[in-house]
Amino acid sequence: MMTYEEFKSMVHLSRREICKEIFNENKDLIKVKKPERVVKNLGKIFEATLALSNKKGFHAMSLRDLSSGAGLSMGALYSYFSSKEELLRMIQDQGRRITSRILEEQIGTVEATREKLQTAIVVHLYLSEVMQPWFYFSYMEAKNLPKRAQKEAILSELSTEQMYADIIKQGQREGIFKPRDPEMTSAFIKAMLQDWYLKKWKYQARQVTVDAYGKVVVDWAFAYLDNQTAMEQ
């Protein structure tokens, strides 16, 4: 099974690279046009937004709070977004794009169905470790999003579950997985992955590493799904 260190060596997800992607996706909205300055200041803005939101909630965070936290003037903030709602959209959209893209890239390198499911589980887990503040923010703020954004967040979560379900269905067609309910099994896998980034304090107190946690989730999935008769043939 791929380790967390191996994942980080293959997937470069620095704050700088994420901010460059956000700049490229929102060039028509961002008034500052010097890439280096944009990347630097977007990093400050997003880091402060996630820190403040995870402490007091996005809607309780004022732009004055953000200005102080990011070390930028109010005028400078408005050079990057026109409202808190637009800032929220930028953060949510980019996080979902990155997660979806990397999952698809990594799963696409694997042929065997059993290994594909294992890869899908650990890559999602490792992404949530690298991007833990975003994953926590995205989950906790979903209920406060405007209706359209709420729908997009729900569809994003369901698409991840559907990815697991599709792999499970393929394994069932091949006879290597038992005829378990694919959607319910996928929901349980997703719930276990969410527990890692939502309650990380619990596992830190127990000195559980991300690799050890990933092994437990994978072992559970295969213990529940594996068709031992087919595997022995």
Side-chain angles (χ1 to χ4, degrees):
M1 187 172 78
M2 182 197 312
T3 67
Y4 180 53
E5 289 303 317
E6 289 170 341
F7 172 79
K8 288 196 297 183
S9 71
M10 290 187 295
V11 178
H12 302 289
L13 263 181
S14 67
R15 186 178 70 179
R16 176 181 173 78
E17 290 303 315
I18 292 172
C19 290
K20 281 176 68 176
E21 288 192 24
I22 292 172
F23 175 46
N24 290 331
E25 292 288 338
N26 296 277
K27 281 184 177 179
D28 56 329
L29 300 174
I30 296 173
K31 297 174 184 176
V32 181
K33 300 305 177 185
K34 293 183 178 179
E36 287 301 317
R37 183 189 298 177
V38 172
V39 169
K40 180 180 178 181
N41 286 340
L42 281 178
K44 293 179 180 179
I45 291 168
F46 295 139
E47 184 175 353
T49 299
L50 295 178
L52 288 166
S53 297
N54 291 345
K55 182 178 180 181
K56 62 192 298 186
F58 182 79
H59 285 271
M61 177 194 77
S62 69
L63 287 180
R64 195 163 300 280
D65 292 331
L66 181 56
S67 173
S68 176
L72 297 169
S73 69
M74 295 285 286
L77 291 182
Y78 283 116
S79 297
Y80 295 93
F81 55 87
S82 61
S83 65
K84 280 180 62 178
E85 289 68 28
E86 186 173 281
L87 171 62
L88 180 61
R89 179 197 59 76
M90 289 168 66
I91 294 174
Q92 294 284 57
D93 286 356
Q94 194 60 27
R96 283 195 289 266
R97 273 195 294 268
I98 290 170
T99 301
S100 177
R101 186 188 76 233
I102 292 176
L103 275 169
E104 289 176 4
E105 288 174 353
Q106 293 299 312
I107 293 169
T109 65
V110 180
E111 292 295 331
T113 302
R114 199 169 181 276
E115 187 181 352
K116 195 180 288 286
L117 180 60
Q118 176 179 282
T119 300
I121 291 171
V122 297
V123 168
H124 193 282
L125 178 67
Y126 294 160
L127 274 170
S128 76
E129 179 72 359
V130 174
M131 300 168 60
Q132 194 273 340
W134 178 84
F135 272 81
Y136 185 88
F137 170 87
S138 184
Y139 183 90
M140 298 303 291
E141 292 299 327
K143 63 183 180 297
N144 297 318
L145 294 170
K147 291 298 182 184
R148 181 178 176 182
Q150 276 188 7
K151 185 177 180 180
E152 289 174 354
I154 291 169
L155 289 174
S156 177
E157 176 157 347
L158 291 176
S159 70
T160 305
E161 290 187 15
Q162 190 60 52
M163 172 188 66
Y164 297 131
D166 289 343
I167 298 171
I168 291 168
K169 290 174 184 176
Q170 179 62 37
Q172 290 171 340
R173 288 192 292 270
E174 294 171 1
I176 62 173
F177 290 156
K178 294 176 183 176
R180 306 289 196 186
D181 184 320
E183 281 72 26
M184 187 62 72
T185 306
S186 300
F188 271 93
I189 291 172
K190 185 65 182 287
M192 284 189 280
L193 295 175
Q194 286 176 329
D195 205 54
W196 174 258
Y197 60 83
L198 293 178
K199 302 176 183 176
K200 193 172 178 182
W201 56 268
K202 178 170 63 176
Y203 300 104
Q204 287 178 328
R206 296 170 180 169
Q207 298 184 322
V208 177
T209 66
V210 67
D211 289 308
Y213 191 84
K215 185 176 186 306
V216 169
V217 178
V218 169
D219 286 351
W220 176 87
F222 289 149
Y224 185 68
L225 289 169
D226 276 344
N227 184 343
Q228 294 299 329
T229 302
M231 293 179 68
E232 290 167 1
Q233 290 177 349

